[in-house]
């Protein structure tokens, strides 16, 4: 095993929205909805809990940390001490913080809320103290917790000179419900504080000098923007019937100013250093799901099994989703109208109705084809090319690969390929081993722990069903399937076509795939993440059913880099172009070969050598935080359960003879900083 000291300082691709104690469900949903519309082409916008913030290594990949509305005393209970220290250090070292309403109060030196009202009064210092003064509220009368009684369309005057990026409105109306004013904000100009917007109406509390509604605060090498109102609340997500006639007028006023509100938010995000979409991203409508097979008989058998589940009913009501099962060519136009677009509509999908979408309640059309789907029915995925490549690779297989990918479930726009298979137990039970779900676009992708892998167009996203026999658990533990999946991706890429063996792709333990950043000069050799893997397993009937989910940057340049960019740099001009159909067929066939061999031999020495040849960590020195900062050298993994082996080092980096075994599900791993930190249960 050759020594390697990889520099894996990844790009900042995550926008984390706090969703723990103190937040309201609606505030979190509004923040996720709006930030995804503005940032989704470059970042994964995902909710995180206090536990994740305190225990997981999130800071190096976080581009923005967001605290939405709610009650900031809950934030104090959850984050005071360890949590706030991590947030403050993250911002001071170049990070960005955006606090809406209660999140704005929380980011100040002192909070004064409803002083004198003994039922609601909150007064106290705050640990983050990004704004060096007081946030005082409510700025307007009438606030009632969990109610729209005090909601209003607050008119804001924008400081255009402080927001120079993009189209900046002179004023706009923003949803307001209980937020504060940043007292004496202009007096802190010598500390770099800038007023981005002021309240244009008379306030219910003393604002000191100025009437600052939104402020920008430099913090070390980073910055924070704090707001009293809720510019992240879109009128499309507000129900005019939730209050009296006055509330309907509020929603109407907010709808009229929606573009100005969006432009203001874009300018704020740009000021914090984020890449903002030029055009606001619209969430596309879910498309139909198309099931097809290499063998016509397989498709017919699956159709009959699914029809048996439906019985005399109209829909298959599963654990997570509701499906309308149809045979290709026998469409029920009434059913089409009630749920998803027709086939002609799918070729140019229209944006989903504005507002937060409950994807679980939408009936999904699942169409079973007795032949290979035509380009007209699936214009963004060429089934003929995929099955042709799959047949070719299967014919070359040394292990007789014939299952993985031979049954394919494709959707142009889906929630998540992993969710469709893993969360719908009835559907899963009727699909053959190796059935693979893939999509052109995912609108609710899933990742491991606090991570969600961004899945823009050009990503290869798929999930494959494996049924692992219980009798093989001693010789071939199911936990090692994640290692086989990672190996399959590396080997699949390197055997994609002539010259691809030189592609600099490696795996980061236990199962992420990294590649040399093609934009960095040769002497820097910086690795960046290009692929994530998520595996969920359930036990039933003497077997483990595993859904192996993979998201790989193939032709998309954002959010990190892509295989196309790597091939252009490291393979050269003659590199065969990356197509999703061919890449999927290659990885699936390699995966099946590895898995078949694994069932026969277990994770033997040959597998071990393959794994070490592909990984980043041989002889890397790390710090074991849970062991008092003990230094250790990574030596490998165990062949039984894939535990990480770390050999303790003395002060002069000599081995002491003590070896630690660490599990991926009970420790935090931040190899980018050389840390292995055991989680606190």
């Amino acid at each position: 095993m050759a020594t390697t000291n990889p520099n894996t300082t990844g790009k900042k691709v995550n926008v984390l929205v706090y969703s723990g104690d103190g937040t309201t469900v609606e505030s979190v949903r509004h923040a996720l909805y709006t930030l995804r519309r503005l940032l989704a082409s470059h970042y994964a916008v995902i909710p995180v809990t206090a536990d994740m913030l305190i225990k997981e290594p999130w800071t190096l990949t976080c581009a923005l940390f967001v605290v939405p509305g709610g009650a900031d005393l809950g934030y104090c209970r959850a984050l005071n001490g360890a949590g706030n220290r991590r947030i403050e250090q993250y911002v001071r070292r170049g990070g960005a913080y955006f606090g809406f309403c209660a999140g704005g109060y929380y980011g100040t030196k002192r909070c004064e809320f409803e002083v004198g009202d003994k039922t609601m009064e909150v007064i106290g210092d705050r640990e983050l103290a990004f704004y060096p003064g007081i946030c005082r509220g409510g700025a307007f009368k009438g606030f009632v917790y969990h109610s729209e009684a005090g909601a209003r369309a607050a008119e804001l005057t924008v400081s255009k000179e402080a927001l120079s990026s993009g189209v900046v409105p002179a004023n706009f109306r923003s949803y307001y419900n209980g937020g504060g004013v940043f007292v004496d904000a202009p007096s802190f100009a010598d500390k770099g504080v800038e007023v981005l917007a002021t309240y244009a109406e008379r306030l219910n509390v003393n604002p000191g000098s100025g009437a600052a509604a939104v402020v920008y605060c430099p913090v070390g090498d980073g910055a924070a923007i704090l707001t009293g109102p809720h510019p992240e609340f879109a009128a499309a997500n507000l129900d005019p019937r939730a209050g009296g006639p006055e509330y309907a007028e509020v929603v109407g006023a907010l709808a009229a100013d929606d573009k100005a509100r969006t432009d203001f938010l874009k300018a704020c995000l740009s000021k914090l250093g984020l890449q903002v979409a030029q055009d606001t991203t619209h969430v596309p409508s879910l498309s139909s799901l198309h099931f097809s097979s290499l063998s016509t008989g397989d498709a017919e058998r699956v159709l009959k099994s699914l029809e048996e589940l439906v019985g005399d009913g109209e829909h298959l009501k599963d654990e997570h989703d509701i499906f309308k099962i149809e045979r290709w060519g026998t469409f029920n136009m009434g059913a089409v109208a009630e749920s998803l677009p027709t086939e002609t509509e799918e070729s140019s999908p229209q944006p989903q109705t504005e507002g937060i979408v409950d994807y679980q309640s939408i009936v999904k059309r699942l169409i079973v084809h007795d032949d290979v789907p035509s380009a007209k029915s699936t214009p963004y995925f060429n089934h003929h090319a995929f099955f042709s490549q799959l047949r070719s690779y299967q014919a070359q297989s040394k292990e007789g690969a014939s299952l993985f990918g031979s049954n394919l479930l494709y959707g142009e726009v889906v929630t998540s390929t992993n969710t469709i298979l893993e969360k719908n137990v009835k559907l899963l039970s009727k699909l053959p081993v190796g059935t693979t779900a893939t999509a052109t676009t995912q609108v609710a992708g899933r990742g491991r722990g606090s991570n969600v892998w961004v899945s823009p167009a050009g990503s290869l996203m798929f999930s494959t069903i494996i049924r692992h026999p219980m009798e093989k658990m001693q010789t071939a533990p199911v936990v090692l399937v994640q290692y086989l999946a990672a190996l399959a991706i590396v080997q699949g890429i390197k055997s994609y076509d002539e010259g691809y063996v030189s592609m600099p792709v490696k795996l980061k333990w236990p199962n992420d795939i990294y590649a040399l950043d093609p934009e960095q000069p040769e002497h820097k050799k910086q690795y960046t993440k290009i692929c994530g893997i998520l595996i969920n397993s359930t036990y039933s009937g003497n077997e483990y059913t595993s859904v192996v989910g993979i998201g790989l940057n193939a032709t998309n340049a954002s959010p990190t880099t892509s295989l196309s960019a790597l091939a252009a740099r490291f393979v050269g001009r003659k590199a065969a172009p990356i197509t999703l159909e061919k890449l999927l067929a290659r990885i699936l066939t390699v995966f099946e070969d590895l898995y078949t061999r694994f069932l026969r031999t277990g994770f033997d020495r040959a597998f071990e050598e393959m794994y070490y040849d592909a990984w980043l960590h041989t002889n890397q020195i790390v710090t074991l935080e849970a062991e008092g900062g003990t230094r250790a050298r990574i030596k490998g993994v165990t062949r039984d359960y894939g535990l990480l082996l770390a050999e303790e080092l003395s002060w002069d980096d000599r081995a002491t003879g003590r070896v630690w075994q660490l599990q991926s599900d009970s420790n935090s791993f931040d190899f980018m900083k050389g840390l292995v930190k055991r989680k606190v249960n």
Side-chain angles (χ1 to χ4, degrees):
M1 298 187 294
T3 300
T4 178
N5 292 297
N7 176 4
T8 53
T9 305
K11 296 181 181 179
K12 297 181 181 294
V13 297
N14 291 332
V15 171
L16 306 182
V17 178
Y18 175 64
S19 62
D21 192 8
T23 59
T24 64
V25 171
E26 286 305 305
S27 290
V28 172
R29 292 179 74 202
H30 277 276
L32 291 171
Y33 168 83
T34 292
L35 292 172
R36 282 172 175 163
R37 293 183 76 220
L38 300 181
L39 301 173
S41 56
H42 300 289
Y43 306 94
V45 182
I46 52 180
V48 291
T49 63
D51 197 52
M52 292 174 178
L53 293 171
I54 293 169
K55 298 176 183 178
E56 295 192 10
W58 56 272
T59 57
L60 285 178
T61 56
C62 180
L64 175 66
F65 177 65
V66 179
V67 180
D72 94 322
L73 281 179
Y75 309 162
C76 293
R77 286 191 296 271
L79 297 171
N80 273 359
N84 285 335
R85 280 195 298 274
R86 295 197 77 184
I87 296 167
E88 193 268 343
Q89 289 172 2
Y90 155 73
V91 178
R92 192 164 295 282
R93 293 171 181 170
Y97 175 101
F98 210 146
F100 297 113
C101 195
Y105 283 113
Y106 192 62
T108 63
K109 186 176 181 181
R110 184 171 176 81
C111 168
E112 294 182 359
F113 178 74
E114 296 293 335
V115 176
D117 184 337
K118 297 304 180 184
T119 62
M120 289 200 295
E121 181 179 272
V122 177
I123 304 174
D125 294 340
R126 296 292 179 262
E127 291 182 350
L128 295 178
F130 297 144
Y131 177 72
I134 299 168
C135 185
R136 183 176 290 152
F140 300 101
K141 287 184 178 180
F143 174 74
V144 178
Y145 279 109
H146 308 296
S147 168
E148 301 290 0
R152 62 191 295 142
E155 186 169 348
L156 305 181
T157 302
V158 179
S159 176
K160 298 185 72 170
E161 61 274 13
L163 292 168
S164 56
S165 177
V167 178
V168 182
N171 52 68
F172 72 98
R173 287 166 292 185
S174 172
Y175 179 87
Y176 168 92
N177 200 357
V181 59
F182 299 93
V183 178
D184 292 322
S187 69
F188 296 110
D190 61 335
K191 295 185 177 181
V193 173
E194 298 177 59
V195 177
L196 305 185
T198 57
Y199 292 108
E201 304 160 85
R202 184 179 178 84
L203 303 182
N204 189 48
V205 294
N206 180 8
S209 61
V214 185
V215 292
Y216 170 88
C217 311
V219 184
D221 294 330
I225 289 180
L226 312 177
T227 78
H230 282 281
E232 80 285 14
F233 271 45
N237 295 319
L238 299 172
D239 183 358
R241 300 164 297 179
E246 300 84 359
Y247 184 66
E249 294 176 7
V250 166
V251 176
L254 295 173
D257 283 6
D258 193 66
K259 183 181 184 304
R261 173 194 70 85
T262 302
D263 288 341
F264 175 76
L265 263 181
K266 286 182 179 180
C268 288
L269 292 165
S270 296
K271 191 173 180 73
L272 287 173
L274 280 87
Q275 288 183 270
V276 183
Q278 292 299 311
D279 298 317
T280 302
T281 302
H282 291 280
V283 180
S285 299
L286 297 182
S287 63
S288 298
L289 299 167
H290 298 267
F291 183 89
S292 55
S293 305
L294 266 177
S295 166
T296 302
D298 283 350
E300 182 66 26
R301 282 189 289 275
V302 168
L303 176 61
K304 288 182 178 178
S305 294
L306 295 177
E307 287 176 337
E308 288 173 4
L309 288 177
V310 174
D312 295 332
E314 191 172 354
H315 298 131
L316 168 57
K317 295 181 180 178
D318 218 321
E319 301 294 320
H320 189 273
D321 293 302
I322 303 171
F323 299 96
K324 173 67 177 176
I325 309 299
E326 299 176 6
R327 184 191 296 270
W328 171 256
T330 57
F331 302 143
N332 177 329
M333 295 310 297
V336 172
E338 77 183 29
S339 56
L340 301 172
T342 65
E343 293 305 304
T344 54
E345 289 172 326
E346 281 189 46
S347 61
S348 55
Q350 298 299 310
Q352 183 67 266
T353 302
E354 289 296 307
I356 296 169
V357 180
D358 180 6
Y359 292 113
Q360 205 168 338
S361 66
I362 297 174
V363 177
K364 285 83 177 171
R365 282 177 70 203
L366 199 165
I367 303 167
V368 179
H369 293 251
D370 57 6
D371 200 352
V372 178
S374 67
K376 183 178 179 181
S377 60
T378 61
Y380 297 101
F381 188 88
N382 188 326
H383 281 76
H384 285 278
F386 168 74
F387 283 125
S388 175
Q389 292 288 351
L390 189 69
R391 284 192 184 93
S392 176
Y393 288 133
Q394 287 178 346
Q396 301 168 27
S397 167
K398 295 180 180 179
E399 296 286 347
S402 62
L403 298 176
F404 288 22
S406 290
N407 293 285
L408 192 73
L409 184 65
Y410 166 78
E412 184 182 318
V413 182
V414 306
T415 50
S416 158
T417 60
N418 203 274
T419 297
I420 289 171
L421 295 183
E422 190 248 331
K423 295 292 184 182
N424 292 297
V425 178
K426 295 176 184 177
L427 175 67
L428 181 60
S429 70
K430 299 301 181 182
L431 296 177
V433 169
T435 296
T436 296
T438 190
T440 298
T441 301
Q442 288 186 153
V443 295
R446 295 167 62 194
R448 185 176 181 272
S450 63
N451 297 313
V452 171
W453 192 240
V454 186
S455 51
S459 297
L460 176 61
M461 299 160 284
F462 66 97
S463 298
T464 299
I465 300 170
I466 291 177
R467 294 198 168 89
H468 193 79
M470 181 64 182
E471 67 205 43
K472 293 290 185 179
M473 283 298 290
Q474 290 298 316
T475 57
V478 71
V479 69
L480 295 178
V481 169
Q482 62 182 323
Y483 294 2
L484 305 183
L487 269 175
I489 294 163
V490 172
Q491 292 185 5
I493 292 168
K494 286 180 173 289
S495 62
Y496 176 79
D497 209 296
E498 186 177 350
Y500 273 77
V501 68
S502 63
M503 290 279 275
V505 289
K506 295 283 185 180
L507 59 90
K508 172 177 172 252
W509 188 83
N511 58 16
D512 286 332
I513 308 300
Y514 277 63
L516 274 182
D517 189 336
E519 297 179 5
Q520 296 296 325
E522 181 68 24
H523 67 276
K524 293 189 80 170
K525 286 198 173 182
Q526 179 172 296
Y527 282 83
T528 187
K529 183 175 177 180
I530 63 166
C531 177
I533 301 171
L534 175 67
I535 301 181
N536 292 293
S537 300
T538 57
Y539 176 73
S540 178
N542 291 320
E543 66 181 11
Y544 283 89
T545 299
S546 298
V547 176
V548 182
I550 292 169
L552 171 63
N553 285 3
T555 62
N556 52 299
S558 293
T560 56
T561 190
S562 67
L563 294 182
S564 292
L566 286 169
R569 168 79 183 274
F570 297 106
V571 180
R573 294 180 181 178
K574 294 184 179 180
I578 295 286
T579 68
L580 299 185
E581 294 86 354
K582 180 178 176 179
L583 183 62
L584 177 59
R586 172 74 292 207
I587 292 173
L588 285 172
T589 314
V590 173
F591 190 12
E592 186 174 0
D593 275 353
L594 291 172
Y595 179 69
T596 303
R597 185 184 185 284
F598 174 64
L599 289 179
R600 188 176 70 253
T601 69
F603 200 79
D604 62 4
R605 191 163 297 279
F607 265 123
E608 189 178 33
E609 290 174 358
M610 281 190 281
Y611 190 76
Y612 293 148
D613 185 57
W615 82 336
L616 283 165
H617 309 299
T618 302
N619 288 330
Q620 183 179 350
I621 294 177
V622 297
T623 301
L624 303 177
E625 287 194 350
E627 309 303 331
T630 297
R631 285 163 61 80
R633 180 179 283 114
I634 301 301
K635 300 305 293 182
V637 295
T638 66
R639 296 215 309 264
D640 51 2
Y641 294 108
L643 304 180
L644 187 70
L645 295 172
E647 184 179 51
E648 185 182 62
L649 300 176
S650 62
W651 63 272
D652 59 351
D653 284 351
R654 292 178 183 271
T656 67
R658 187 175 189 183
V659 177
W660 302 92
Q661 292 188 2
L662 303 162
Q663 300 182 73
S664 63
D665 61 353
S666 63
N667 297 271
S668 292
F669 300 94
D670 191 353
F671 283 122
M672 298 175 189
K673 291 179 64 179
L675 299 177
V676 179
K677 176 182 177 181
R678 184 165 296 170
K679 285 186 180 179
V680 179
N681 293 325

